[in-house]
Amino acid sequence: MLPVYPLTFISFPVTGWGGNMEALRVDVKIPSEHWLNGKEYAAEYQIYHLHHKRKKAPVISIMVDLHPSDKLNEHFQLALNEWQKLWEKDYLECELRKRKERRVTAGLFEAVKGWVDGSRDIPVQEQEYSTWLDEPPSEDAKFRRNLRAARKAQEESGDFWDPYKKDEIMRSIHFFGYAGSLTEPPCTEFLEWRILDTPMLISRQQLFQMKTLLFRHRSVETGCRISSNHYMGSVARRPLQPLNRRKVYRCTCRDFLADQMRDEILALEGTTADNATYTPKCNRREFRQSEATKPWLSGA
């Protein structure tokens, strides 16, 4: 698994959540399950949390779009590199399983051949080498070295990874919110969705790598079958659903500011967040300027 900061927590101060909640897992859907202003994005990055006492699960969801200059997202690439290690290890484990099956088949063939022509009596067993179903010993040794290297690479933890990385993963703290459900069976309604209003940007090569990791992953646990439900280049996802009288709200800079911006404003007034008698918010002009940076508003 991808290593993240030990016991990664995030605070949900609104709607009476209180306290911190641990990040449980990161999921990626291709293409996006949510649309913003009628736009479907290349992918959607979702961080799941669980509030054990309230039996609720807030989800921070971030749209993923292609960078206009095809620039690599270096922080997200660290995650892709770790997922790539797992993908390669599972691929080689399945290849090892196929090789063993081929050798058993080769042993059976040789035994049947001996029984038929009566030239020899060879018990059915795994053959060390088969000229008609397997590779020469030198290639097999090379394969086993690669498998050992892949296992070691996957077991070794890389640098701890921040799933909320500012500016590269989370490019905004403002969001659309609603109470909803899981997007996979049994579609239980206990989630609180937070859809950030600014997408994460990745390169085309990273999108291609992500599709390969998701759509072509096999593991021994799944019988070496494709482990992802997908169709025509996209993950099997729940279709867009009607609101069904759900209330969708939006939090902007007119509701709250980033901590750094808030502290800078209060510092100019000679106070701090702990001592302030009010919470700074943006004015109408600053709000319009902020909205101008949201790509979904222009459909870009």
Side-chain angles (χ1 to χ4, degrees):
M1 294 181 62
L2 177 69
V4 298
Y5 287 125
L7 295 179
T8 301
F9 289 93
I10 191 168
S11 175
F12 286 86
V14 296
T15 66
W17 288 102
N20 296 325
M21 280 171 273
E22 184 180 351
L24 297 179
R25 68 186 179 99
V26 171
D27 202 0
V28 176
K29 301 293 177 63
I30 300 176
S32 64
E33 291 184 314
H34 292 89
W35 293 26
L36 290 181
N37 198 36
K39 177 176 178 177
E40 177 186 61
Y41 284 81
E44 185 170 338
Y45 170 96
Q46 302 166 345
I47 313 174
Y48 285 78
H49 311 78
L50 180 63
H51 196 295
H52 295 280
K53 292 185 178 180
R54 295 181 179 271
K55 306 299 181 184
K56 288 281 189 176
V59 184
I60 295 178
S61 188
I62 305 172
M63 301 298 107
V64 180
D65 207 358
L66 294 175
H67 195 288
S69 301
D70 201 28
K71 182 180 178 181
L72 189 80
N73 186 319
E74 295 184 1
H75 185 71
F76 187 59
Q77 187 61 44
L78 296 176
L80 292 178
N81 292 343
E82 294 298 321
W83 291 332
Q84 184 73 40
K85 292 177 185 178
L86 177 62
W87 190 97
E88 291 174 357
K89 183 192 77 73
D90 287 346
Y91 173 83
L92 292 173
E93 295 284 5
C94 284
E95 183 63 23
L96 177 63
R97 176 175 173 172
K98 287 192 293 184
R99 286 166 179 255
K100 289 182 177 179
E101 291 173 350
R102 288 200 299 265
R103 286 172 175 167
V104 170
T105 303
L108 177 62
F109 175 82
E110 294 295 336
V112 171
K113 181 181 177 182
W115 295 336
V116 171
D117 61 24
S119 60
R120 51 184 173 173
D121 185 11
I122 302 178
V124 178
Q125 59 184 357
E126 179 181 326
Q127 299 294 303
E128 288 298 323
Y129 168 60
S130 167
T131 57
W132 65 284
L133 280 176
D134 221 334
E135 296 174 322
S138 59
E139 289 299 317
D140 183 67
K142 180 180 178 181
F143 165 79
R144 291 182 179 276
R145 286 196 300 271
N146 291 339
L147 176 59
R148 287 194 297 270
R151 287 172 174 169
K152 182 178 179 181
Q154 200 276 321
E155 291 172 357
E156 293 177 346
S157 296
D159 294 333
F160 285 111
W161 189 74
D162 181 3
Y164 311 99
K165 182 73 171 180
K166 181 183 176 182
D167 296 332
E168 294 191 67
I169 301 295
M170 290 184 63
R171 300 175 61 227
S172 171
I173 61 171
H174 301 118
F175 59 87
F176 296 88
Y178 70 95
S181 67
L182 292 168
T183 58
E184 303 169 359
C187 300
T188 310
E189 295 201 13
F190 72 106
L191 300 188
E192 291 286 340
W193 287 94
R194 303 288 187 268
I195 318 298
L196 297 196
D197 62 11
T198 303
M200 170 173 63
L201 300 177
I202 63 173
S203 69
R204 294 181 182 277
Q205 186 276 330
Q206 288 178 310
L207 178 60
F208 177 79
Q209 183 181 8
M210 210 161 38
K211 287 183 175 181
T212 300
L213 295 175
L214 283 175
F215 301 157
R216 303 179 70 177
H217 177 254
R218 302 173 186 269
S219 69
V220 175
E221 288 76 12
T222 62
C224 292
R225 296 185 298 272
I226 295 293
S227 61
S228 174
N229 294 322
H230 67 281
Y231 175 73
M232 297 294 289
S234 66
V235 170
R237 56 176 180 165
R238 192 180 189 187
L240 288 177
Q241 301 292 306
L243 289 177
N244 293 327
R245 298 185 178 181
R246 286 187 177 90
K247 293 183 179 180
V248 177
Y249 56 91
R250 187 178 177 209
C251 287
T252 70
C253 65
R254 301 183 76 170
D255 299 293
F256 59 87
L257 298 175
D259 292 347
Q260 181 179 353
M261 185 178 298
R262 176 203 63 198
D263 293 342
E264 289 175 353
I265 293 175
L266 293 175
L268 292 175
E269 300 179 4
T271 186
T272 64
D274 294 333
N275 301 321
T277 58
Y278 77 103
T279 301
K281 300 175 183 179
C282 64
N283 57 37
R284 184 174 299 178
R285 178 180 59 82
E286 292 168 335
F287 173 71
R288 287 198 300 266
Q289 291 176 342
S290 173
E291 292 295 275
T293 66
K294 311 300 181 185
W296 55 268
L297 284 175
S298 62

